[in-house]
């Protein structure tokens, strides 16, 4: 096994190479470049040096990762026959995927490497843009970049932007966070005699024709809070400001207990927007629910008990743990198996309880408590074999309630009415309907139809007392018919 000597050609002209690196190149017996597209390669060839390249591999593969893997394989094969000097743009250990793959092979005993430094493109980029990296910067790979990789408060440098296609993908990722007209700078051949900087608006990025393998995209940071509202950290910053000593008096006064009713209200408003298929409404109401989550997390942090990171860790661990068919090696056939696995894993996570119903009460909703109790009891076989038994039980409880209405006390009537509700919840469970959602629908429907009755009264005789019940019911029927159109 011969040594593969990896040499960085710097970011531009041959003049950027140190004397030692230049001499090592000139004395090499066999030199191969990852790509011909570099000024130093042209200059070395002009001096009479023979340099092969892997450019042909780029043409036949569909992805950059396939290109890099094939280059790595060929380099190892070449090293079986002779010593190889492999030259790459910039510094070998900065944004050079093939070198990282070779290092992996070296750790497996499949390659022997010598890495010779070269100037990375970062130093000339910082000089060209006049930025100080201590302020915080990111170096991202344009061929493998996602929206969530970007930190908007930092200087963002995006390398590997070889052509218009990569530039287009980068643009689309950035536009998920930045304004379409956010200024960006296209830097070409930084530090060389061909250095060029062009500042354009973000949406124009892939319209530029002068993009090549020496191109780096610079995205300046956004300091103003209003310009980075699409970042999670900004929303957290806003909530922290509201709860700060000089923040909002109302927000500072809130506790977990005082916010409970708001979470319920926002959840119901979200459900209403979903029912109405109102995308804009869903966006707004999801934001209101998220506000409640962040407020509770900030209260936990202010009180010193927990922070948002704890919330994220808890739910993240739970999702990974309860989805072994996604994050592990378990296989499932359908969603029924997913739910079965979920319940088994959930049961194993929970401490032993004295009753199956422990922890199932929902103090905010008697309907949900009833639903949960019946669901848990059904899991151990305490249930009707089919919905007919549930219907029969409802008829039985309904008749008992009617008897108490005629002859019973307020206490016995309340008790029997509760039994009627309980059997209705049981029916909803058999039909896989949400009793809470059904009740919310009924309330909304009543409000909508009664509002029509109110409007009809106001436009007519002006007072409810001026109408008979039959006339008012006529308005109700009109509202009902209008909904069918």
């Amino acid at each position: 096994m011969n040594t593969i000597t990896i040499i960085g050609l710097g970011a531009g002209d041959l003049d950027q190479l140190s004397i030692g690196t230049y001499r090592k190149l000139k004395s090499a017996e066999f030199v191969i470049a990852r790509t011909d597209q570099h000024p130093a390669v042209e200059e070395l060839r002009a001096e009479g040096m023979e340099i092969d390249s892997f450019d042909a591999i780029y043409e036949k593969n569909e992805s950059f990762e396939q290109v890099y893997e094939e280059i790595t394989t060929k380099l190892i094969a070449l090293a079986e026959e002779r010593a190889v000097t492999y030259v790459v743009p910039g510094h070998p250990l900065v944004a050079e995927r093939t070198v990282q793959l070779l290092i992996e092979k070296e750790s497996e005993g499949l390659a022997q490497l010598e890495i010779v430094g070269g100037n990375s493109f970062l130093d000339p980029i910082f000089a060209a843009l006049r930025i100080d990296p201590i302020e915080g910067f990111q170096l991202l790979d344009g061929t493998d970049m996602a929206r969530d990789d970007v930190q908007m408060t930092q200087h963002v440098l995006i390398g590997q932007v070889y052509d218009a296609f990569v530039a287009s993908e980068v643009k689309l990722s950035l536009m998920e966070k930045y304004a379409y007209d956010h200024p960006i700078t296209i830097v070409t051949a930084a530090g060389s005699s061909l250095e060029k900087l062009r500042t354009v608006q973000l949406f124009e990025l892939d319209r530029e024709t002068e993009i090549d393998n020496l191109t780096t995209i610079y995205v300046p940071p956004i300091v103003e809070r209003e310009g980075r509202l699409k970042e999670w950290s900004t929303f957290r910053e806003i909530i922290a400001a509201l709860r700060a000593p000089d923040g909002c008096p109302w927000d500072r006064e809130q506790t977990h207990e005082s916010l409970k009713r708001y979470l319920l209200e926002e959840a119901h408003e979200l459900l209403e927007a979903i029912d109405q298929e109102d995308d804009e409404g869903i966006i707004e109401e999801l934001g209101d629910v998220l506000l409640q989550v962040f407020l509770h997390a900030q209260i936990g942090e202010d009180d010193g008990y927990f922070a948002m990171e704890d919330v994220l860790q808890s739910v993240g661990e739970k999702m990974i743990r309860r989805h072994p068919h996604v994050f592990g090696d378990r296989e499932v056939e359908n969603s029924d198996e997913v739910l079965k696995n979920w319940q088994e894993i959930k049961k194993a996570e929970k401490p032993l309880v004295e009753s199956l119903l422990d922890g199932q009460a929902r103090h905010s909703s008697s309907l949900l408590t009833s639903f949960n109790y019946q669901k848990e009891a059904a899991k151990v076989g305490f249930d009707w074999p089919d919905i007919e038994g549930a219907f029969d039980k409802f008829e039985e409880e309904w008749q008992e309630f009617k008897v108490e209405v005629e002859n019973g006390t307020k206490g016995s009537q309340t008790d029997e009415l509760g039994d009627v509700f309980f059997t209705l919840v049981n029916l909803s469970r058999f039909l896989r309907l949400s009793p809470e959602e059904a009740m919310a629908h009924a309330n909304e429907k009543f409000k909508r139809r009664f509002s029509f009755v109110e409007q009809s009264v106001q436009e007519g005789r002006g007072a409810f007392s001026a109408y008979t019940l039959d006339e008012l019911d006529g308005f109700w029927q009109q509202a009902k018919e209008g909904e069918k159109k």
Side-chain angles (χ1 to χ4, degrees), residues 3-9 17-31 44 49 84-87 113-117:
T3 298
I4 301 174
T5 301
I6 307 172
I7 296 179
L9 294 176
L17 296 185
S18 67
I19 294 296
T21 302
Y22 178 75
R23 287 174 177 169
K24 198 169 189 68
L25 267 172
K26 295 294 284 186
S27 64
E29 295 183 3
F30 175 72
V31 180
L44 288 168
M49 182 180 291
V84 177
T85 297
Y86 174 50
V87 296
L113 307 179
E114 178 188 3
I115 299 177
V116 179

Side-chain angles (χ1 to χ4, degrees), residues 173-194:
S173 295
L174 291 174
M175 287 182 69
E176 292 188 59
K177 279 193 168 185
Y178 294 88
Y180 79 99
D181 58 351
H182 185 66
I184 62 168
T185 300
I186 302 171
V187 186
T188 303
S192 74
S193 60
L194 300 176

